[in-house]
């Protein structure tokens, strides 16, 4: 799945499909846009020795795990606590 400079892994696509429409999806998409706009503003959570840059971004009721790629991000996981 591709959206606004973001590529979604299968797990992230499944979570997006299960989110309630409206506010939940809007909050997740806003967080994805914020992460895409400034990916290095979010903490790097990669394991020691890993060569993949993995970051996490947190919203009010959601979080994402992503990898930055030259002006885009790859969304690996989405979490929703709402």
């Amino acid at each position: 799945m591709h959206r606004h400079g973001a590529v979604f892994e299968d797990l992230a696509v499944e979570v997006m499909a299960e989110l309630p429409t409206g506010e939940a999806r809007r909050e997740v998409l806003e967080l994805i846009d914020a992460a895409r706009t400034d990916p290095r503003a979010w903490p790097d959570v990669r394991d020691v020795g890993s060569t993949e840059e993995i970051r996490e971004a947190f919203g009010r009721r959601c979080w994402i795990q992503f990898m930055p790629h030259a002006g885009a991000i790859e969304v690996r996981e989405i979490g929703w606590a709402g």
Side-chain angles (χ1 to χ4, degrees), residues 51-74:
T51 58
E52 293 182 323
E53 182 178 355
I54 301 171
R55 297 186 173 267
E56 288 182 341
F58 299 89
R60 201 178 71 194
R61 295 177 294 175
C62 64
W63 61 271
I64 62 169
Q65 187 179 78
F66 66 95
M67 295 173 51
H69 295 286
I73 62 172
E74 178 182 333

Side-chain angles (χ1 to χ4, degrees), residues 18-80:
E18 293 176 8
L19 284 175
T21 57
E23 188 176 340
R25 287 186 186 193
R26 184 172 39 256
E27 185 174 332
V28 169
L29 292 173
E30 286 173 359
L31 182 59
I32 289 168
D33 285 341
R36 185 191 52 77
T37 301
D38 191 6
R40 305 248 166 0
W42 306 96
D44 189 339
V45 297
R46 74 180 109 180
D47 293 329
V48 175
S50 175
T51 58
E52 293 182 323
E53 182 178 355
I54 301 171
R55 297 186 173 267
E56 288 182 341
F58 299 89
R60 201 178 71 194
R61 295 177 294 175
C62 64
W63 61 271
I64 62 169
Q65 187 179 78
F66 66 95
M67 295 173 51
H69 295 286
I73 62 172
E74 178 182 333
V75 180
R76 297 168 50 117
E77 293 183 39
I78 296 171
W80 177 253

